């Protein structure tokens, strides 16, 4: 039968085993974290290499569009002129219809 010293020895062995297992797990977690960090760095480099030129082209395109756009004040004036033109075209269309009917 097991005496007190045997039970203490078994408890110490279990405790030591748990400590070694915890150390192994901790080391494994550290290696995994390092691999993930390296993987993230490579992924970021790939994403920058892929997306950076595309975003630059997009920004250049938007810049060209902004340069060609009319300012807001010009739009107001243009809308007023279009309203007048629409009225004139409608009136001329009616006059043309009336002239066609008169023939």
């Amino acid at each position: 039968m097991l005496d007190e010293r045997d039970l203490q020895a078994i408890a110490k062995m279990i405790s030591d085993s748990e400590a070694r297992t915890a150390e192994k797990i901790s080391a494994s977690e550290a290696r995994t974290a390092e691999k993930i960090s390296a993987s993230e760095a490579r992924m970021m480099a790939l994403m920058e290499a892929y997306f950076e030129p595309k975003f630059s082209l997009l920004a250049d395109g938007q810049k060209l569009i902004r340069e060609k756009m009319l300012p807001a004040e010009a739009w107001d004036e243009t809308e007023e002129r279009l309203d007048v033109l629409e009225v004139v075209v409608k009136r001329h269309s009616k006059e043309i219809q009336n002239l066609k009917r008169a023939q």
Side-chain angles (χ1 to χ4, degrees), residues 73-92:
E73 301 82 34
W75 276 110
D76 293 339
E77 182 182 322
T78 304
E79 286 179 351
E80 291 172 10
R81 292 180 66 199
L82 283 174
D83 291 341
V84 170
L85 287 173
E86 285 177 349
V87 170
V88 170
V89 168
K90 285 180 185 178
R91 190 176 78 207
H92 286 169

Side-chain angles (χ1 to χ4, degrees), residues 52-88:
E52 182 98 14
K54 293 180 182 345
F55 286 139
S56 294
L57 288 173
L58 182 61
D60 291 343
Q62 287 179 337
K63 181 180 175 188
L64 289 173
I65 290 171
R66 273 191 245 110
E67 288 172 356
K68 292 180 180 182
M69 282 180 57
L70 290 174
E73 301 82 34
W75 276 110
D76 293 339
E77 182 182 322
T78 304
E79 286 179 351
E80 291 172 10
R81 292 180 66 199
L82 283 174
D83 291 341
V84 170
L85 287 173
E86 285 177 349
V87 170
V88 170

Side-chain angles (χ1 to χ4, degrees), residues 17-81:
S17 175
E18 287 175 349
R20 283 191 304 272
T21 301
E23 288 175 11
K24 288 180 182 177
I25 290 172
S26 179
S28 175
E29 288 174 344
R31 286 190 308 273
T32 302
E34 289 174 9
K35 288 179 183 177
I36 289 173
S37 293
S39 178
E40 286 175 347
R42 286 192 305 272
M43 180 61 71
M44 291 302 295
L46 286 172
M47 287 173 56
E48 284 181 24
Y50 181 78
F51 289 114
E52 182 98 14
K54 293 180 182 345
F55 286 139
S56 294
L57 288 173
L58 182 61
D60 291 343
Q62 287 179 337
K63 181 180 175 188
L64 289 173
I65 290 171
R66 273 191 245 110
E67 288 172 356
K68 292 180 180 182
M69 282 180 57
L70 290 174
E73 301 82 34
W75 276 110
D76 293 339
E77 182 182 322
T78 304
E79 286 179 351
E80 291 172 10
R81 292 180 66 199

